[in-house]
């Protein structure tokens, strides 16, 4: 199994979409901002090229059940729904990157290493120190996953012949 640990804000929910939830009056669309259509297209291309599963590492996981999030993905046109959420590690604002990386590593530690053959984390926060070769950053919140070269890096990591072990 290949796992894509996915953040939302700055990755598929771009800064151009932030605040869109305030225009909506019903359901999860009143809770969450829209995903960018081009970012969804890129995410679907990654899923199709790698057959990866999605585990949500975004803070959005605190505001909806997995069942509701799966429905949100379906309604918004993502070809696969998430299989799970990462857990929670308490941190202060200065340690958000460390906490997110630790949550991902904890998720990996609780799953059979033989079932998770390859993985990559995609986020706009800089977690390179903790996730090294298994991390792709999207530093421009207005571009996210559709930034030049990002899709190719993700696909290369998930389809590589050798997967580096995670760094604790």
């Amino acid at each position: 199994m290949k796992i894509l640990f996915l953040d939302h804000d700055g990755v598929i929910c771009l800064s151009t979409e932030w605040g869109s939830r305030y225009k909506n009056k019903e359901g999860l669309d009143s809770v969450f901002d829209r995903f960018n259509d081009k970012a969804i297209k890129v995410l679907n291309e990654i899923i199709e090229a790698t057959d990866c599963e999605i585990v949500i590492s975004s803070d959005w996981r605190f505001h909806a059940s997995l069942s509701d999030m799966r429905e949100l993905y379906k309604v918004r046109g993502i070809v696969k729904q998430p299989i799970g959420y990462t857990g929670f590690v308490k941190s202060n604002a200065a340690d958000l990157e460390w906490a997110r990386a630790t949550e991902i590593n904890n998720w990996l530690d609780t799953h059979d290493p033989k079932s998770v053959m390859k993985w990559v984390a995609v986020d706009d926060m800089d977690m390179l120190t903790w996730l090294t070769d298994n991390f792709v950053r999207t530093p421009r919140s207005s571009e996210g996953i559709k930034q030049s070269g990002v899709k190719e890096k993700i696909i290369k990591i998930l389809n590589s012949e050798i997967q580096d072990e995670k760094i604790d």
Side-chain angles (χ1 to χ4, degrees):
M1 176 169 48
K2 299 173 185 179
I3 300 293
L4 171 62
F5 291 99
L6 188 64
D7 181 32
H8 289 164
D9 290 324
V11 178
I12 58 174
C13 177
L14 308 184
S15 60
T16 55
E17 312 295 335
W18 294 348
S20 61
R21 67 182 170 270
Y22 301 116
K23 299 174 187 172
N24 301 306
K25 307 262 192 270
E26 296 182 19
L28 290 176
D29 280 335
S30 67
V31 177
F32 299 116
D33 292 327
R34 287 187 297 268
F35 295 151
N36 179 273
D37 290 337
K38 289 180 182 175
I40 290 172
K41 181 180 183 292
V42 170
L43 177 59
N44 284 338
E45 290 170 356
I46 291 166
I47 293 167
E48 290 170 10
T50 65
D51 194 31
C52 65
E53 301 295 336
I54 298 168
V55 174
I56 297 174
S57 57
S58 171
D59 289 344
W60 289 28
R61 68 191 189 274
F62 302 127
H63 304 287
S65 68
L66 182 58
S67 176
D68 286 342
M69 192 62 70
R70 290 174 62 85
E71 182 62 25
L72 182 68
Y73 269 53
K74 185 176 179 181
V75 167
R76 293 192 177 176
I78 299 173
V79 297
K80 270 193 177 180
Q81 286 68 60
I83 63 166
Y85 289 155
T86 56
F88 174 71
V89 172
K90 188 174 181 178
S91 67
N92 60 40
D95 293 330
L96 291 177
E97 292 90 352
W98 167 85
R100 178 81 46 96
T102 301
E103 292 162 357
I104 290 167
N105 278 322
N106 288 348
W107 190 96
L108 289 163
D109 286 343
T110 62
H111 290 78
D112 180 6
K114 293 179 183 174
S115 70
V116 180
M117 302 305 291
K118 304 195 180 171
W119 63 274
V120 64
V122 182
D123 205 302
D124 61 329
M125 291 193 297
D126 187 1
M127 299 184 296
L128 189 60
T129 300
W130 301 279
L131 301 177
T132 61
D133 295 332
N134 296 87
F135 177 67
V136 177
R137 185 172 182 212
T138 60
R140 290 189 301 243
S141 63
S142 63
E143 289 293 314
I145 204 168
K146 60 190 187 92
Q147 283 176 220
S148 178
V150 168
K151 174 179 81 170
E152 293 77 12
K153 286 180 188 176
I154 295 167
I155 291 171
K156 183 177 180 182
I157 291 169
L158 289 174
N159 285 344
S160 67
E161 293 296 321
I162 299 171
Q163 179 73 24
D164 294 332
E165 293 182 13
K166 67 182 176 8
I167 306 297
D168 292 315

